Amino acid sequence: MNRYLPTLIATVLLAVSTAGYAIDKDIEPKIPPGYVPEEAQDEAGIWMEMWEIETKLRQSPMLVKDAEFNAYVQSVVCEVAGAYCRDFRVYLIRNPGFNASMTATGMMQIWTGLLTRVTTTDELAAVIGHEIAHYTGLHTLEQWRGLKSGLAVGSFFDLALLAATGVGVPLGQATAMLNALAFSREQEQEADILGAQMLAEAGLDPHAAYRVWNMIVDEEESAAVKRRKPGIFSKTHPDAKKRAGKLEDWVTERFGPVSEGPPDQGRHVALLNKHYLFLMEDQLDTNRFGRTKEMLERHERAGVERGLVEYFRGEMLRQRGGDGDEEGAMEAYQRSIDGGLAPPEAFKNLGYLCLKAGDKVLAMENFRMYLEAKPDASDRAMIEFYLEETT
């Protein structure tokens, strides 16, 4: 079994509401910054157990350690959170699923799959704001209180840790977990509205709140053609388009029309360019080629370096292996090389495909370029063997 949760199982943690947005006034947080648990025994007990879970999470091999990457995510959290910033501890989890979540104690987990999918800082902030809204509205506390009441201590601990990292959860258990963690329709409506308010108050684009939902819908529609049966998202979230439309109407009425010109993608695209290799390698490991194709097209439109996008387009086609995919992969690898910033592996994989196609001259040329670009390659002996065999 793949070590990652399916992408859209994770997405369910965002929970879709089909209700309209009839509220015509701002929603106020229910707790102030610096909130501490009440004396109620169940709440204090949840706090203690969640601190233990957080201690475990700090030791997880799935944590992303890169200081610059973490600083960017932390800065976006603080932009949205404002006075609540000091209440949150942010953990960046290496998981290609689309997810951000928050415990009642302020432990926030953001999966790298979220950062791979959004293309602007505003869109990342929209998801973060939605989760902060659940926290400040006490939805998260109510959620975990209900979960704990139905589980033994050990099961609660295991399930909570799995919810944080998304690692090693069988499909049936994951579905049960997500059902247990679902927010109510009213809570989702409040989080949508309060999250959009937070974006506007932080000087960010509140229209990003519905753009994220449209992005999810686009990805699911791209993936649907690859399935014989509807995926979990399609079964449990049939009205995602309706939610996005209603949220767009509310945001436009409350904050005015979207500003002219394209969204500001500079900060986020710069981060994607710097970390694109490991982010997209993890995505490819999911073997979800329809979604990957749609994501690459989105990245191309956003301005991610062409050489990087084309390399992974070649990787996707090569791994998919359908009719015409090898030829398409060769073309994509060549575009990656022509576009600059191609990973050395673009030369190597193009060389293998040329060799398979019977073009030994072009294969050897690309193998030599690979060794020149990566002189310390771990497979250098194998490549040199191919070069010697053809001389």
Side-chain angles (χ1 to χ4, degrees), residues 51-64:
W51 278 113
E52 187 176 351
I53 290 165
E54 188 167 349
T55 299
K56 282 283 188 182
L57 183 60
R58 291 193 189 105
Q59 302 167 6
S60 172
M62 306 305 293
L63 283 179
V64 175

Side-chain angles (χ1 to χ4, degrees), residues 365-386:
E365 179 182 339
N366 278 285
F367 285 152
R368 281 190 287 269
M369 293 296 292
Y370 168 62
L371 293 182
E372 182 179 327
K374 195 172 183 180
D376 59 346
S378 61
D379 56 355
R380 184 179 187 89
M382 177 63 71
I383 299 300
E384 288 177 339
F385 170 78
Y386 282 116

